[in-house]
Amino acid sequence: MRLKLTLEYDGTGFRGWAAQPGLRTVESVVRDVLDSVFPRWSGLAVAGRTDTGVHALANVASLDADGGPRLERIAEALNAALPADVAVNVAEE
């Protein structure tokens, strides 16, 4: 299933969106949580990358996922595993 995730985050504790070795980034946090919620997923893409310290209210990411929770429970499942400074506002097909 192709998923659209609408994310919000407080960028204060992040070194931007893009994964960077040894640094806390939004992408690396999201990838870790996707690994814990979905047995198989691929193709994480984001509408706009942010720089260090930049916040987002409605950044959109997409991915393909197999297994895991029902569509109506995906945002709740991801939010239960995400840190307090990142949230999935909406998950839709």
Side-chain angles (χ1 to χ4, degrees):
M1 160 177 33
R2 171 78 37 100
L3 291 176
K4 172 187 170 186
L5 304 178
T6 303
L7 305 167
E8 72 175 43
Y9 47 89
D10 177 342
T12 303
F14 292 104
R15 297 296 300 246
W17 167 269
Q20 301 175 57
L23 298 176
R24 185 174 188 252
T25 68
V26 180
E27 181 182 13
S28 59
V29 166
V30 169
R31 285 180 172 277
D32 288 345
V33 170
L34 292 172
D35 285 341
S36 72
V37 171
F38 294 104
R40 292 170 308 284
W41 68 271
S42 63
L44 179 63
V46 67
R49 293 171 28 157
T50 51
D51 291 330
T52 296
V54 175
H55 313 307
L57 294 176
N59 202 357
V60 175
S62 65
L63 66 133
D64 294 312
D66 291 320
R70 297 185 318 267
L71 180 60
E72 60 273 10
R73 302 285 309 244
I74 290 173
E76 179 182 358
L78 292 170
N79 286 329
L82 283 165
D85 50 1
V86 181
V88 175
N89 290 333
V90 179
E92 46 196 328
E93 192 169 6

